[in-house]
Amino acid sequence: MTIDKTFDPAAIETKWFEHWETSGAFRPERPDAQPFTIVNPPPNVTGSLHIGHALDNTLQDILIRHARLQGKDALWVVGMDHAGIATQMVVERQLEERQDKRTNYSRDEFVDIVWKWKAESGGQITRQLRRLGCSMDWANEQFTMDPHFNRAVLKVFVDLYNQGLIYRDKRLVNWDPKLKTAISDLEVETREVKGHFWHFRYPLADGVTLDNGADHIVVATTRPETMLADMAVAVNADDPRYKSVIGKYVELPITGRRVPIVADEHADPELGSGAVKITPGHDFNDFEVGKRAGIKPGEMLNMFDAEARVVQTADGLIPDDLVGMDRFDARAAVVEQMKALGRLVPHIVKSADGEESELDAEPRTIQTPFGDRGGVVIEPWLTDQWYVDAETLAQPPIQAVRDGRIEIVPKSWEKTFFNWMENIQPWCVSRQLWWGHRIPAWYDADGKVYVAEDEAAAQALAGEGVALTQDNDVLDTWFSSALWPFGTLGWPDQTEALARHYPNDVLISGFDILFFWDARMAMQGMHFMKEVPWKTLYLHGLVRAADGQKMSKSKGNVVDPLILMDKYGADALRFFMAAMESQGRDVKMDERRVEGYRNFATKLWNAARFCQSNGIGASTTLRAPEVSLAVNKWIIGEVVETLAKLNKAFDEYRFDAMADAIYQFAWGTFCDWYLELIKPTFVDGEKGEMDEESKTVAGWVLDQILVMLHPFMPFITEELWHAMGERNYDLIVAKWPEPKADLDLAAGAEINWLIQLVTEVRSAKNELGIAPGARLNAFVRDASAETLARIERQQSAIARQARLDSVANAEAPAGGSLQIVVDEATFVIPLEGIIDLDDERARITKAIEAVSKEAKSLEGRLSNPAFVEKAKPEAVEKARADHAEKAAEVERLSAALARLG
């Protein structure tokens, strides 16, 4: 087929993806091949493709396509997560739009509505991943609520319970009053909020006073409403102000509750008054203080309902006028009542002229926890929840990373991994939702629990005739997705796929879900499979805006990958992601770079058109052709070296190095040099014929480029693969290059010498303002016999590429000239009548002075600690880049001046 004049990504992308998918190319039958397995982080069923997905999945697809080209049994597991909270939010929002609500339905009816929504609207991201070119095992797409996966989830829960690693406990949780469910620490985001710090006087009971005669203790709080459930006041045992009252009581204003004064290290004598109000049912630190003081969790007072409205405490001491209030309304009411009782300590402020005034509270910026999905302030709430003994499960993964069975790339993340895993807290896995894996626990009338995989098994445990009620909660979404590396392969059944593809080879993950997902997969995988879930964990950074800021809708700097693919094609976006992915660094979004890689694709397209128009077609051999011409020996050697660089980069997971190796070879070496060097010459206006050897080699080299580039740019490479001639198989299932050729060092040195000579001549012409096509003559001195022989052999190429009609081994005529040094030889090019050398020297000298001045100014800024430490990071980075650019410009201009003698 004749290659179209214009490269149009849209015309080829859909065609080839549909062809690959329908032909089974993503999962070719290779039962005897070495397995290679990746599981994709299952995107939420509610999700759509964002730029982070584009990065994450591009990197995975590069590895899976490379493994497939290597002949491996490459499996990329694909699926979606049921996303309990997110999905229930979406469906409830749709119900609200119809003036309807979840509670108008039974649980089963609502779950049916969610399944209907999934069938109609869920999973658009899977279509978008296809658009990106993801060669996943689409024929076996998974879902965390599928029956086989649900069975795995329930078995894991039951087994962990029976092993004492899952238990029910009354503890404080992060409660989201909007979603009315517990969420994990990892789902809480801390924001800075302008708030207040109130100081209250708590009266000492029974006529007790402090040593200074005070009849009260001052406590401070940012949440005054919680005093309604205070159960103690803590002081430090070594604080002399309070030693005499430890074990005594205060009588709380408003409620009249008598609470003890306890000694606890949580109270810091250096902070505030040194006394701390303790609300164990509504503060994580206070919960621990309460337990140390002998208050059992079941005895801790609760003053909020699921919507964070005030409810009566177990002792009935909250005044009726406060019951039912929203927590923030109750805050204002408590402050007003404390003020009316004379128990509020005012905050004194001074104006600029020294005048004092009183405020109710000290203004403070407070680090406040918010739910990442509900978007409201999280309330620590004392509830009965299910917990996993994460500390026990964390030990095998910790050891696996230490002994190298799991390699974390980049290695710098190991420290973070160990820090979190070695200080891990019990994992709360119950969620107060209807959509999700319902907890397989049943209760009898006395509250005794029976945990089993189904109701019949629970009934057998409880005995005949015992009425049972199933737990209403569902499991945390991350509990089920932690089984992804083995649950998707058929576990708990011992399937062939499980035996063949577990452990997986590598997991590609954003560092931001290292603890949400990666660590939990390691825990569950090692516990149930007795083996690591994957051998390598590769953690990539975030995709940030061009200025380094985090992308967010509020900032208006979010980049839509679908729009980028519409403008530049999927191949260009994919190559950008690979080229910018440098271990341990975030990716800065730069649309100009994406456009640049679209130009790269166009360059390759045009190179293929050139080959086709000159009779160059598809190669018929994997092995490099036998050749005699130096230029062909050189290009074959360049293929061998590029392949070595690429293989090394794949081994080290250096995606940027992979992209750079193939880019430099395809654009620079092949398109800019090789094709130019073998291009037929025109004699008397007639185009000459390209020699057959070069045709054969060019076709072979183009094939190697298409194969090596395919993991990065699958669409254009597949199109050109078929355009260049008849093929027995698609490129997606071709074979990774094996040139089996020795490097001809002499030929390589000769062509590299030629390229250096041509480059130096072209650069000198450009610097001096001489037209690129101007034909000049050169004289060489101090040339070795080898250089003279090269000049003789490459005379035609020198004339065509450097525009030097002759290169004489003789003294140059007197007069102005430019000089170029290549290896040991100096090439003198007379310029008499071409340019005014004195004017040119003056121009370059003036330019050097101007650029040097700018470079010195930038150097001064960068050597100023105040600038480097206080300026925005992006400003410092720009100054460094500008300085490097100016320094390079000075060096270039100085070299140009030196050439003029």
Side-chain angles (χ1 to χ4, degrees):
M1 98 186 194
T2 302
I3 301 173
D4 291 341
K5 184 176 181 180
T6 304
F7 169 52
D8 178 12
I12 64 172
E13 290 177 1
T14 302
K15 174 183 79 172
W16 282 116
F17 197 90
E18 289 178 353
H19 170 77
W20 291 327
E21 187 169 4
T22 55
S23 67
F26 296 151
R27 195 76 180 89
E29 287 294 325
R30 293 174 175 174
D32 299 323
Q34 177 187 344
F36 181 86
T37 313
I38 296 178
V39 296
N40 84 314
N44 287 351
V45 66
T46 57
S48 61
L49 191 74
H50 58 61
I51 202 71
H53 289 131
L55 171 64
D56 193 75
N57 286 280
T58 292
L59 302 183
Q60 292 176 72
D61 198 38
I62 288 169
L63 295 184
I64 211 76
R65 285 181 182 269
H66 175 244
R68 197 180 291 118
L69 290 168
Q70 289 180 306
K72 295 178 181 177
D73 178 19
L75 170 63
W76 187 7
V77 174
V78 60
M80 289 187 298
D81 193 284
H82 65 279
I85 293 176
T87 303
Q88 185 157 320
M89 282 177 65
V90 167
V91 176
E92 287 200 56
R93 199 176 297 128
Q94 288 187 352
L95 290 176
E96 289 168 8
E97 289 170 359
R98 302 197 298 264
Q99 282 73 54
D100 202 352
K101 57 184 178 180
R102 171 173 59 92
T103 51
N104 288 341
Y105 301 89
S106 70
R107 183 186 190 120
D108 289 343
E109 288 170 340
F110 178 76
V111 169
D112 286 343
I113 292 171
V114 179
W115 278 109
K116 184 179 178 183
W117 170 86
K118 176 187 180 289
E120 294 174 354
S121 307
Q124 67 167 325
I125 193 168
T126 63
R127 296 184 290 276
Q128 295 164 342
L129 288 170
R130 286 174 166 89
R131 173 81 190 281
L132 187 64
C134 295
S135 58
M136 297 162 161
D137 185 20
W138 293 105
N140 295 294
E141 190 174 346
Q142 311 268 332
F143 184 52
T144 50
M145 289 285 283
D146 283 342
H148 76 277
F149 205 87
N150 186 61
R151 184 162 70 96
V153 172
L154 298 182
K155 177 173 173 54
V156 164
F157 186 96
V158 172
D159 286 359
L160 290 176
Y161 176 80
N162 290 334
Q163 294 161 11
L165 296 172
I166 277 186
Y167 55 92
R168 191 163 170 80
D169 196 10
K170 186 180 287 292
R171 296 173 61 95
L172 278 186
V173 296
N174 298 299
W175 186 262
D176 188 318
K178 180 178 179 180
L179 302 179
K180 294 189 277 295
T181 182
I183 62 174
S184 76
D185 293 345
L186 298 170
E187 293 165 305
V188 176
E189 55 184 37
T190 301
R191 304 179 194 169
E192 287 190 348
V193 174
K194 292 194 180 303
H196 296 87
F197 204 43
W198 287 269
H199 291 76
F200 295 145
R201 298 185 187 94
Y202 278 8
L204 291 160
D206 306 322
V208 173
T209 61
L210 300 177
D211 290 348
N212 65 3
D215 61 355
H216 61 269
I217 288 180
V218 174
V219 297
T221 181
T222 59
R223 299 162 65 213
E225 68 280 8
T226 61
M227 72 166 290
L228 301 175
D230 277 358
M231 298 187 73
V233 170
V235 297
N236 194 287
D238 296 325
D239 192 330
R241 294 170 294 179
Y242 304 117
K243 275 188 176 182
S244 64
V245 295
I246 292 172
K248 308 299 183 182
Y249 291 83
V250 298
E251 189 170 298
L252 297 176
I254 301 179
T255 62
R257 184 180 301 117
R258 281 170 60 91
V259 301
I261 300 169
V262 300
D264 195 279
E265 60 187 13
H266 176 60
D268 185 345
E270 303 297 320
L271 289 179
S273 68
V276 183
K277 62 184 283 300
I278 302 300
T279 320
H282 295 285
D283 182 276
F284 288 101
N285 288 322
D286 292 4
F287 178 77
E288 299 300 329
V289 175
K291 287 200 299 182
R292 289 194 290 271
I295 305 172
K296 296 176 182 177
E299 299 169 349
M300 293 177 183
L301 297 176
N302 172 55
M303 57 166 286
F304 288 130
D305 65 11
E307 295 180 326
R309 293 184 174 277
V310 177
V311 294
Q312 187 56 267
T313 49
D315 59 9
L317 294 178
I318 296 180
D320 291 343
D321 62 320
L322 296 175
V323 174
M325 277 191 178
D326 172 80
R327 55 183 165 166
F328 298 118
D329 293 336
R331 177 175 299 177
V334 165
V335 170
E336 284 304 310
Q337 290 191 27
M338 290 294 282
K339 190 175 182 180
L341 290 169
R343 295 297 177 185
L344 175 69
V345 181
H347 177 64
I348 309 298
V349 294
K350 284 187 177 182
S351 64
D353 57 7
E355 187 176 337
E356 291 188 351
S357 59
E358 291 186 357
L359 299 177
D360 285 350
E362 175 188 349
R364 284 246 184 129
T365 297
I366 300 167
Q367 301 293 322
T368 305
F370 282 77
D372 64 353
R373 292 197 180 277
V376 300
V377 176
I378 292 304
E379 195 63 49
W381 203 41
L382 192 63
T383 61
D384 290 306
Q385 301 284 347
W386 288 94
Y387 291 88
V388 170
D389 179 359
E391 183 180 3
T392 298
L393 293 182
Q395 301 313 306
I398 290 172
Q399 187 56 42
V401 173
R402 289 202 190 283
D403 62 30
R405 282 175 291 153
I406 294 176
E407 179 188 9
I408 297 179
V409 179
K411 194 175 179 66
S412 55
W413 278 106
E414 283 188 4
K415 183 178 179 182
T416 306
F417 174 83
F418 289 135
N419 184 58
W420 191 75
M421 293 288 271
E422 288 167 355
N423 295 282
I424 200 165
Q425 298 298 307
W427 174 16
C428 176
V429 294
S430 44
R431 298 291 181 267
Q432 289 64 52
L433 303 169
W434 281 0
W435 172 246
H437 301 279
R438 194 168 179 181
I439 290 177
W442 284 261
Y443 303 91
D444 62 19
D446 297 325
K448 185 178 179 182
V449 65
Y450 303 91
V451 173
E453 290 183 40
D454 56 41
E455 189 170 6
Q459 192 69 64
L461 291 174
E464 218 176 304
V466 177
L468 297 178
T469 303
Q470 188 173 358
D471 196 307
N472 279 318
D473 292 351
V474 299
L475 286 163
D476 176 17
T477 296
W478 298 101
F479 183 89
S480 51
S481 59
L483 318 185
W484 201 242
F486 57 95
T488 54
L489 298 174
W491 189 90
D493 295 336
Q494 297 304 305
T495 64
E496 182 183 340
L498 184 65
R500 186 164 175 74
H501 293 283
Y502 189 95
N504 310 159
D505 287 84
V506 59
L507 178 74
I508 303 285
S509 168
F511 72 81
D512 52 333
I513 58 171
L514 172 58
F515 306 122
F516 273 122
W517 190 47
D518 307 342
R520 289 164 175 174
M521 276 190 289
M523 288 190 276
Q524 299 286 42
M526 294 195 73
H527 185 76
F528 285 95
M529 298 297 296
K530 308 307 178 188
E531 200 169 358
V532 298
W534 8 257
K535 300 156 194 170
T536 301
L537 170 58
Y538 180 91
L539 297 170
H540 60 74
L542 301 177
V543 182
R544 295 185 177 273
D547 60 2
Q549 291 192 60
K550 192 172 182 179
M551 290 187 187
S552 71
K553 290 179 181 177
S554 61
K555 292 177 182 176
N557 62 357
V558 173
V559 175
D560 186 341
L562 298 172
I563 293 175
L564 289 175
M565 287 191 280
D566 286 340
K567 289 176 72 173
Y568 306 112
D571 284 334
L573 178 60
R574 288 169 60 104
F575 201 88
F576 167 82
M577 291 302 181
M580 298 299 286
E581 171 53 26
S582 180
Q583 287 182 12
R585 299 181 64 181
D586 288 338
V587 172
K588 287 187 180 178
M589 192 64 232
D590 185 348
E591 188 170 336
R592 291 171 302 173
R593 291 286 293 267
V594 181
E595 183 179 13
Y597 294 127
R598 159 65 190 266
N599 295 341
F600 172 48
T602 301
K603 179 103 171 175
L604 184 65
W605 184 269
N606 290 335
R609 287 184 66 241
F610 168 83
C611 289
Q612 195 176 68
S613 68
N614 282 279
I616 298 167
S619 178
T620 57
T621 175
L622 288 169
R623 192 182 187 121
E626 294 293 330
V627 295
S628 60
L629 298 176
V631 70
N632 291 327
K633 292 178 180 179
W634 164 76
I635 194 64
I636 289 171
E638 291 293 311
V639 169
V640 172
E641 290 189 348
T642 299
L643 180 62
K645 290 178 188 174
L646 204 48
N647 288 340
K648 183 174 186 290
F650 268 107
D651 289 343
E652 296 173 352
Y653 296 97
R654 293 304 305 253
F655 291 93
D656 52 349
M658 299 174 201
D660 184 65
I662 187 61
Y663 179 89
Q664 297 298 338
F665 177 73
W667 184 300
T669 307
F670 181 71
C671 295
D672 284 353
W673 287 109
Y674 180 68
L675 293 183
E676 288 297 320
L677 290 171
I678 67 169
K679 184 184 289 186
T681 56
F682 283 79
V683 180
D684 297 328
E686 292 292 323
K687 180 182 175 184
E689 283 292 320
M690 186 182 294
D691 65 276
E692 289 303 317
E693 178 182 296
S694 295
K695 284 184 183 180
T696 300
V697 172
W700 179 82
V701 175
L702 181 56
D703 271 9
Q704 309 315 299
I705 289 173
L706 295 178
V707 177
M708 290 189 288
L709 186 58
H710 179 75
F712 308 88
M713 291 181 144
F715 295 110
I716 187 174
T717 52
E718 188 76 79
E719 178 75 8
L720 294 178
W721 175 261
H722 288 278
M724 292 306 295
E726 289 296 321
R727 307 286 190 175
N728 296 324
Y729 43 82
D730 291 335
L731 176 57
I732 191 175
V733 289
K735 192 168 184 181
W736 192 245
E738 291 181 9
K740 295 181 180 175
D742 296 325
L743 296 178
D744 189 316
L745 298 179
E750 181 163 321
I751 301 303
N752 286 327
W753 169 88
L754 172 63
I755 289 171
Q756 185 182 354
L757 174 60
V758 173
T759 301
E760 292 286 351
V761 172
R762 289 175 177 175
S763 178
K765 280 184 171 182
N766 180 58
E767 288 160 358
L768 299 175
I770 300 171
R775 306 200 71 84
L776 305 172
N777 295 296
F779 298 84
V780 64
R781 66 169 185 255
D782 303 328
S784 66
E786 177 58 31
T787 294
L788 293 174
R790 287 173 178 173
I791 291 170
E792 181 68 26
R793 289 192 295 267
Q794 301 297 333
Q795 187 174 3
S796 174
I798 292 170
R800 191 167 69 249
Q801 301 298 326
R803 297 295 195 270
L804 294 178
D805 287 336
S806 67
V807 181
N809 182 23
E811 281 296 319
S817 62
L818 71 83
Q819 298 182 11
I820 291 169
V821 178
V822 179
D823 295 343
E824 84 294 342
T826 301
F827 293 81
V828 181
I829 302 174
L831 295 178
E832 285 295 327
I834 306 294
I835 60 171
D836 186 314
L837 291 177
D838 289 337
D839 285 352
E840 194 59 30
R841 287 190 189 96
R843 181 187 69 80
I844 295 175
T845 300
K846 187 175 180 181
I848 289 174
E849 290 172 356
V851 178
S852 296
K853 186 177 180 182
E854 291 181 59
K856 192 171 183 180
S857 173
L858 287 163
E859 187 178 344
R861 290 178 69 192
L862 290 168
S863 61
N864 181 357
F867 170 72
V868 175
E869 293 168 10
K870 296 179 182 178
K872 290 184 177 180
E874 52 267 30
V876 176
E877 190 175 327
K878 184 177 185 306
R880 285 181 177 140
D882 289 347
H883 179 263
E885 182 184 332
K886 298 301 178 186
E889 179 72 357
V890 170
E891 191 175 327
R892 185 186 66 80
L893 289 169
S894 299
L897 187 61
R899 286 196 187 101
L900 295 177

